[in-house]
mmCIF file of all heavy atoms in Angstrom:
data_model
loop_
_atom_site.group_PDB
_atom_site.id
_atom_site.type_symbol
_atom_site.label_atom_id
_atom_site.label_comp_id
_atom_site.label_asym_id
_atom_site.label_seq_id
_atom_site.Cartn_x
_atom_site.Cartn_y
_atom_site.Cartn_z
ATOM 1 N N ALA A 240 -59.181 -57.942 -166.761
ATOM 2 C CA ALA A 240 -60.559 -57.479 -166.586
ATOM 3 C C ALA A 240 -60.578 -56.151 -165.830
ATOM 4 O O ALA A 240 -61.415 -55.288 -166.091
ATOM 5 C CB ALA A 240 -61.382 -58.529 -165.839
ATOM 6 N N ALA A 241 -59.623 -55.978 -164.917
ATOM 7 C CA ALA A 241 -59.536 -54.728 -164.152
ATOM 8 C C ALA A 241 -59.245 -53.545 -165.076
ATOM 9 O O ALA A 241 -59.715 -52.432 -164.842
ATOM 10 C CB ALA A 241 -58.463 -54.841 -163.067
ATOM 11 N N VAL A 242 -58.492 -53.786 -166.136
ATOM 12 C CA VAL A 242 -58.229 -52.726 -167.108
ATOM 13 C C VAL A 242 -59.543 -52.283 -167.756
ATOM 14 O O VAL A 242 -59.801 -51.091 -167.929
ATOM 15 C CB VAL A 242 -57.205 -53.189 -168.170
ATOM 16 C CG1 VAL A 242 -57.139 -52.204 -169.326
ATOM 17 C CG2 VAL A 242 -55.823 -53.352 -167.528
ATOM 18 N N PHE A 243 -60.402 -53.241 -168.072
ATOM 19 C CA PHE A 243 -61.700 -52.896 -168.671
ATOM 20 C C PHE A 243 -62.576 -52.113 -167.683
ATOM 21 O O PHE A 243 -63.077 -51.050 -168.008
ATOM 22 C CB PHE A 243 -62.448 -54.166 -169.127
ATOM 23 C CG PHE A 243 -61.983 -54.697 -170.466
ATOM 24 C CD1 PHE A 243 -60.916 -55.572 -170.560
ATOM 25 C CD2 PHE A 243 -62.609 -54.320 -171.639
ATOM 26 C CE1 PHE A 243 -60.476 -56.058 -171.792
ATOM 27 C CE2 PHE A 243 -62.184 -54.791 -172.884
ATOM 28 C CZ PHE A 243 -61.110 -55.667 -172.956
ATOM 29 N N VAL A 244 -62.734 -52.644 -166.479
ATOM 30 C CA VAL A 244 -63.706 -52.025 -165.565
ATOM 31 C C VAL A 244 -63.158 -50.797 -164.844
ATOM 32 O O VAL A 244 -63.924 -50.011 -164.294
ATOM 33 C CB VAL A 244 -64.288 -53.031 -164.536
ATOM 34 C CG1 VAL A 244 -64.922 -54.223 -165.247
ATOM 35 C CG2 VAL A 244 -63.252 -53.489 -163.523
ATOM 36 N N ASN A 245 -61.829 -50.635 -164.864
ATOM 37 C CA ASN A 245 -61.255 -49.468 -164.193
ATOM 38 C C ASN A 245 -60.719 -48.457 -165.215
ATOM 39 O O ASN A 245 -61.309 -47.395 -165.405
ATOM 40 C CB ASN A 245 -60.169 -49.938 -163.215
ATOM 41 C CG ASN A 245 -59.401 -48.800 -162.568
ATOM 42 O OD1 ASN A 245 -58.317 -48.444 -162.991
ATOM 43 N ND2 ASN A 245 -59.982 -48.210 -161.539
ATOM 44 N N ASN A 246 -59.682 -48.772 -165.937
ATOM 45 C CA ASN A 246 -59.085 -47.793 -166.858
ATOM 46 C C ASN A 246 -60.045 -47.399 -167.984
ATOM 47 O O ASN A 246 -60.196 -46.218 -168.296
ATOM 48 C CB ASN A 246 -57.816 -48.331 -167.521
ATOM 49 C CG ASN A 246 -56.739 -48.791 -166.551
ATOM 50 O OD1 ASN A 246 -55.907 -49.616 -166.897
ATOM 51 N ND2 ASN A 246 -56.760 -48.293 -165.322
ATOM 52 N N PHE A 247 -60.666 -48.397 -168.607
ATOM 53 C CA PHE A 247 -61.525 -48.096 -169.755
ATOM 54 C C PHE A 247 -62.811 -47.396 -169.310
ATOM 55 O O PHE A 247 -63.296 -46.471 -169.962
ATOM 56 C CB PHE A 247 -61.824 -49.366 -170.559
ATOM 57 C CG PHE A 247 -60.612 -49.949 -171.248
ATOM 58 C CD1 PHE A 247 -60.648 -51.225 -171.805
ATOM 59 C CD2 PHE A 247 -59.425 -49.231 -171.358
ATOM 60 C CE1 PHE A 247 -59.545 -51.770 -172.450
ATOM 61 C CE2 PHE A 247 -58.298 -49.762 -172.003
ATOM 62 C CZ PHE A 247 -58.368 -51.048 -172.547
ATOM 63 N N THR A 248 -63.364 -47.853 -168.197
ATOM 64 C CA THR A 248 -64.545 -47.182 -167.650
ATOM 65 C C THR A 248 -64.225 -45.721 -167.350
ATOM 66 O O THR A 248 -64.997 -44.824 -167.693
ATOM 67 C CB THR A 248 -65.005 -47.904 -166.369
ATOM 68 O OG1 THR A 248 -65.567 -49.157 -166.757
ATOM 69 C CG2 THR A 248 -66.031 -47.098 -165.605
ATOM 70 N N ASN A 249 -63.085 -45.486 -166.742
ATOM 71 C CA ASN A 249 -62.704 -44.113 -166.423
ATOM 72 C C ASN A 249 -62.572 -43.274 -167.699
ATOM 73 O O ASN A 249 -62.901 -42.088 -167.716
ATOM 74 C CB ASN A 249 -61.397 -44.097 -165.633
ATOM 75 C CG ASN A 249 -61.048 -42.710 -165.149
ATOM 76 O OD1 ASN A 249 -61.677 -42.174 -164.241
ATOM 77 N ND2 ASN A 249 -60.057 -42.083 -165.799
ATOM 78 N N GLN A 250 -62.138 -43.910 -168.781
ATOM 79 C CA GLN A 250 -62.038 -43.175 -170.047
ATOM 80 C C GLN A 250 -63.437 -42.825 -170.583
ATOM 81 O O GLN A 250 -63.631 -41.762 -171.176
ATOM 82 C CB GLN A 250 -61.230 -43.982 -171.073
ATOM 83 C CG GLN A 250 -61.051 -43.305 -172.439
ATOM 84 C CD GLN A 250 -60.260 -41.998 -172.374
ATOM 85 O OE1 GLN A 250 -59.722 -41.615 -171.322
ATOM 86 N NE2 GLN A 250 -60.191 -41.291 -173.492
ATOM 87 N N LEU A 251 -64.408 -43.702 -170.347
ATOM 88 C CA LEU A 251 -65.785 -43.355 -170.740
ATOM 89 C C LEU A 251 -66.279 -42.162 -169.929
ATOM 90 O O LEU A 251 -66.979 -41.292 -170.446
ATOM 91 C CB LEU A 251 -66.720 -44.548 -170.568
ATOM 92 C CG LEU A 251 -66.476 -45.747 -171.498
ATOM 93 C CD1 LEU A 251 -67.496 -46.848 -171.203
ATOM 94 C CD2 LEU A 251 -66.568 -45.334 -172.974
ATOM 95 N N TYR A 252 -65.906 -42.101 -168.654
ATOM 96 C CA TYR A 252 -66.248 -40.921 -167.851
ATOM 97 C C TYR A 252 -65.608 -39.687 -168.491
ATOM 98 O O TYR A 252 -66.221 -38.623 -168.586
ATOM 99 C CB TYR A 252 -65.738 -41.039 -166.412
ATOM 100 C CG TYR A 252 -66.254 -42.219 -165.608
ATOM 101 C CD1 TYR A 252 -65.575 -42.633 -164.459
ATOM 102 C CD2 TYR A 252 -67.404 -42.918 -165.965
ATOM 103 C CE1 TYR A 252 -66.027 -43.694 -163.688
ATOM 104 C CE2 TYR A 252 -67.850 -43.995 -165.208
ATOM 105 C CZ TYR A 252 -67.158 -44.376 -164.071
ATOM 106 O OH TYR A 252 -67.597 -45.426 -163.306
ATOM 107 N N ARG A 253 -64.365 -39.848 -168.918
ATOM 108 C CA ARG A 253 -63.646 -38.729 -169.537
ATOM 109 C C ARG A 253 -64.380 -38.255 -170.811
ATOM 110 O O ARG A 253 -64.550 -37.062 -171.037
ATOM 111 C CB ARG A 253 -62.218 -39.169 -169.867
ATOM 112 C CG ARG A 253 -61.472 -38.262 -170.814
ATOM 113 C CD ARG A 253 -61.168 -36.897 -170.200
ATOM 114 N NE ARG A 253 -60.736 -35.962 -171.220
ATOM 115 C CZ ARG A 253 -60.309 -34.731 -170.977
ATOM 116 N NH1 ARG A 253 -60.281 -34.254 -169.761
ATOM 117 N NH2 ARG A 253 -59.942 -33.956 -171.948
ATOM 118 N N ILE A 254 -64.818 -39.193 -171.613
ATOM 119 C CA ILE A 254 -65.540 -38.813 -172.831
ATOM 120 C C ILE A 254 -66.842 -38.100 -172.453
ATOM 121 O O ILE A 254 -67.197 -37.073 -173.037
ATOM 122 C CB ILE A 254 -65.799 -40.042 -173.733
ATOM 123 C CG1 ILE A 254 -64.450 -40.572 -174.268
ATOM 124 C CG2 ILE A 254 -66.729 -39.697 -174.896
ATOM 125 C CD1 ILE A 254 -64.553 -41.858 -175.076
ATOM 126 N N GLY A 255 -67.520 -38.615 -171.445
ATOM 127 C CA GLY A 255 -68.718 -37.940 -170.936
ATOM 128 C C GLY A 255 -68.412 -36.506 -170.517
ATOM 129 O O GLY A 255 -69.189 -35.583 -170.776
ATOM 130 N N HIS A 256 -67.256 -36.345 -169.895
ATOM 131 C CA HIS A 256 -66.803 -35.018 -169.476
ATOM 132 C C HIS A 256 -66.594 -34.112 -170.698
ATOM 133 O O HIS A 256 -67.090 -32.989 -170.752
ATOM 134 C CB HIS A 256 -65.494 -35.179 -168.702
ATOM 135 C CG HIS A 256 -65.112 -33.988 -167.875
ATOM 136 N ND1 HIS A 256 -64.094 -34.011 -166.961
ATOM 137 C CD2 HIS A 256 -65.600 -32.732 -167.834
ATOM 138 C CE1 HIS A 256 -63.969 -32.829 -166.387
ATOM 139 N NE2 HIS A 256 -64.874 -32.029 -166.907
ATOM 140 N N GLU A 257 -65.891 -34.623 -171.689
ATOM 141 C CA GLU A 257 -65.611 -33.825 -172.900
ATOM 142 C C GLU A 257 -66.902 -33.422 -173.608
ATOM 143 O O GLU A 257 -67.081 -32.284 -174.023
ATOM 144 C CB GLU A 257 -64.729 -34.616 -173.879
ATOM 145 C CG GLU A 257 -63.286 -34.778 -173.399
ATOM 146 C CD GLU A 257 -62.421 -35.581 -174.374
ATOM 147 O OE1 GLU A 257 -62.832 -35.795 -175.536
ATOM 148 O OE2 GLU A 257 -61.320 -35.989 -173.957
ATOM 149 N N ILE A 258 -67.806 -34.389 -173.740
ATOM 150 C CA ILE A 258 -69.057 -34.124 -174.463
ATOM 151 C C ILE A 258 -69.881 -33.052 -173.759
ATOM 152 O O ILE A 258 -70.382 -32.117 -174.380
ATOM 153 C CB ILE A 258 -69.903 -35.418 -174.584
ATOM 154 C CG1 ILE A 258 -69.213 -36.416 -175.508
ATOM 155 C CG2 ILE A 258 -71.289 -35.110 -175.105
ATOM 156 C CD1 ILE A 258 -69.939 -37.749 -175.573
ATOM 157 N N THR A 259 -70.044 -33.200 -172.449
ATOM 158 C CA THR A 259 -70.896 -32.248 -171.728
ATOM 159 C C THR A 259 -70.280 -30.853 -171.712
ATOM 160 O O THR A 259 -70.943 -29.882 -172.058
ATOM 161 C CB THR A 259 -71.152 -32.698 -170.270
ATOM 162 O OG1 THR A 259 -69.912 -33.105 -169.683
ATOM 163 C CG2 THR A 259 -72.125 -33.848 -170.211
ATOM 164 N N GLU A 260 -69.005 -30.775 -171.359
ATOM 165 C CA GLU A 260 -68.399 -29.447 -171.202
ATOM 166 C C GLU A 260 -68.339 -28.703 -172.539
ATOM 167 O O GLU A 260 -68.438 -27.480 -172.582
ATOM 168 C CB GLU A 260 -67.006 -29.547 -170.583
ATOM 169 C CG GLU A 260 -66.960 -30.315 -169.258
ATOM 170 C CD GLU A 260 -67.365 -29.488 -168.022
ATOM 171 O OE1 GLU A 260 -66.822 -28.398 -167.849
ATOM 172 O OE2 GLU A 260 -68.228 -29.962 -167.250
ATOM 173 N N SER A 261 -68.205 -29.457 -173.624
ATOM 174 C CA SER A 261 -68.143 -28.796 -174.936
ATOM 175 C C SER A 261 -69.456 -28.106 -175.283
ATOM 176 O O SER A 261 -69.513 -27.240 -176.141
ATOM 177 C CB SER A 261 -67.768 -29.802 -176.021
ATOM 178 O OG SER A 261 -68.872 -30.649 -176.267
ATOM 179 N N GLU A 262 -70.540 -28.475 -174.607
ATOM 180 C CA GLU A 262 -71.840 -27.866 -174.900
ATOM 181 C C GLU A 262 -72.358 -27.030 -173.731
ATOM 182 O O GLU A 262 -73.549 -26.742 -173.650
ATOM 183 C CB GLU A 262 -72.870 -28.965 -175.206
ATOM 184 C CG GLU A 262 -72.620 -29.712 -176.490
ATOM 185 C CD GLU A 262 -72.936 -28.877 -177.734
ATOM 186 O OE1 GLU A 262 -73.672 -27.873 -177.617
ATOM 187 O OE2 GLU A 262 -72.445 -29.241 -178.812
ATOM 188 N N GLY A 263 -71.461 -26.738 -172.780
ATOM 189 C CA GLY A 263 -71.901 -25.920 -171.661
ATOM 190 C C GLY A 263 -72.814 -26.643 -170.692
ATOM 191 O O GLY A 263 -73.514 -26.020 -169.900
ATOM 192 N N ALA A 264 -72.836 -27.976 -170.763
ATOM 193 C CA ALA A 264 -73.576 -28.730 -169.750
ATOM 194 C C ALA A 264 -72.594 -29.120 -168.651
ATOM 195 O O ALA A 264 -71.385 -29.056 -168.839
ATOM 196 C CB ALA A 264 -74.220 -29.967 -170.367
ATOM 197 N N GLU A 265 -73.139 -29.516 -167.486
ATOM 198 C CA GLU A 265 -72.244 -29.809 -166.369
ATOM 199 C C GLU A 265 -72.011 -31.286 -166.171
ATOM 200 O O GLU A 265 -72.942 -32.044 -165.931
ATOM 201 C CB GLU A 265 -72.834 -29.223 -165.078
ATOM 202 C CG GLU A 265 -72.545 -27.749 -164.933
ATOM 203 C CD GLU A 265 -73.110 -27.221 -163.632
ATOM 204 O OE1 GLU A 265 -73.030 -27.935 -162.618
ATOM 205 O OE2 GLU A 265 -73.640 -26.107 -163.659
ATOM 206 N N PHE A 266 -70.754 -31.685 -166.229
ATOM 207 C CA PHE A 266 -70.402 -33.079 -166.005
ATOM 208 C C PHE A 266 -70.870 -33.554 -164.623
ATOM 209 O O PHE A 266 -71.281 -34.710 -164.469
ATOM 210 C CB PHE A 266 -68.892 -33.266 -166.146
ATOM 211 C CG PHE A 266 -68.433 -34.671 -165.860
ATOM 212 C CD1 PHE A 266 -68.799 -35.725 -166.680
ATOM 213 C CD2 PHE A 266 -67.635 -34.944 -164.762
ATOM 214 C CE1 PHE A 266 -68.391 -37.023 -166.407
ATOM 215 C CE2 PHE A 266 -67.223 -36.241 -164.473
ATOM 216 C CZ PHE A 266 -67.604 -37.277 -165.298
ATOM 217 N N ASP A 267 -70.826 -32.661 -163.647
ATOM 218 C CA ASP A 267 -71.255 -33.013 -162.280
ATOM 219 C C ASP A 267 -72.642 -33.627 -162.223
ATOM 220 O O ASP A 267 -72.931 -34.460 -161.356
ATOM 221 C CB ASP A 267 -71.254 -31.759 -161.393
ATOM 222 C CG ASP A 267 -69.869 -31.508 -160.826
ATOM 223 O OD1 ASP A 267 -68.937 -32.272 -161.159
ATOM 224 O OD2 ASP A 267 -69.713 -30.541 -160.059
ATOM 225 N N MET A 268 -73.499 -33.204 -163.140
ATOM 226 C CA MET A 268 -74.865 -33.733 -163.171
ATOM 227 C C MET A 268 -74.883 -35.243 -163.428
ATOM 228 O O MET A 268 -75.864 -35.913 -163.122
ATOM 229 C CB MET A 268 -75.660 -33.082 -164.303
ATOM 230 C CG MET A 268 -75.727 -31.585 -164.257
ATOM 231 S SD MET A 268 -77.183 -31.031 -163.394
ATOM 232 C CE MET A 268 -78.466 -31.690 -164.475
ATOM 233 N N LEU A 269 -73.800 -35.770 -164.021
ATOM 234 C CA LEU A 269 -73.770 -37.200 -164.353
ATOM 235 C C LEU A 269 -73.276 -38.068 -163.197
ATOM 236 O O LEU A 269 -73.373 -39.295 -163.247
ATOM 237 C CB LEU A 269 -72.869 -37.433 -165.569
ATOM 238 C CG LEU A 269 -73.369 -36.875 -166.895
ATOM 239 C CD1 LEU A 269 -72.245 -36.899 -167.921
ATOM 240 C CD2 LEU A 269 -74.554 -37.696 -167.415
ATOM 241 N N LYS A 270 -72.731 -37.427 -162.177
ATOM 242 C CA LYS A 270 -72.073 -38.220 -161.126
ATOM 243 C C LYS A 270 -73.009 -39.179 -160.385
ATOM 244 O O LYS A 270 -72.650 -40.330 -160.145
ATOM 245 C CB LYS A 270 -71.327 -37.287 -160.172
ATOM 246 C CG LYS A 270 -70.076 -36.719 -160.840
ATOM 247 C CD LYS A 270 -69.279 -35.828 -159.914
ATOM 248 C CE LYS A 270 -67.998 -35.350 -160.616
ATOM 249 N NZ LYS A 270 -67.245 -34.407 -159.760
ATOM 250 N N PRO A 271 -74.240 -38.744 -160.025
ATOM 251 C CA PRO A 271 -75.133 -39.716 -159.386
ATOM 252 C C PRO A 271 -75.427 -40.919 -160.286
ATOM 253 O O PRO A 271 -75.497 -42.052 -159.808
ATOM 254 C CB PRO A 271 -76.405 -38.907 -159.124
ATOM 255 C CG PRO A 271 -75.960 -37.476 -159.099
ATOM 256 C CD PRO A 271 -74.826 -37.380 -160.079
ATOM 257 N N LEU A 272 -75.555 -40.679 -161.577
ATOM 258 C CA LEU A 272 -75.810 -41.783 -162.517
ATOM 259 C C LEU A 272 -74.613 -42.735 -162.569
ATOM 260 O O LEU A 272 -74.768 -43.961 -162.622
ATOM 261 C CB LEU A 272 -76.087 -41.204 -163.911
ATOM 262 C CG LEU A 272 -76.322 -42.213 -165.035
ATOM 263 C CD1 LEU A 272 -77.530 -43.105 -164.749
ATOM 264 C CD2 LEU A 272 -76.511 -41.502 -166.376
#
Side-chain angles (χ1 to χ4, degrees):
Chain A
V242 169
F243 279 87
V244 304
N245 174 262
N246 304 156
F247 293 168
T248 289
N249 186 72
Q250 180 63 6
L251 293 180
Y252 301 161
R253 165 68 193 185
I254 293 175
H256 197 170
E257 289 179 14
I258 292 175
T259 46
E260 306 278 309
S261 73
E262 292 287 341
E265 279 182 39
F266 177 66
D267 275 2
M268 303 267 297
L269 292 167
K270 287 182 177 176
L272 178 60

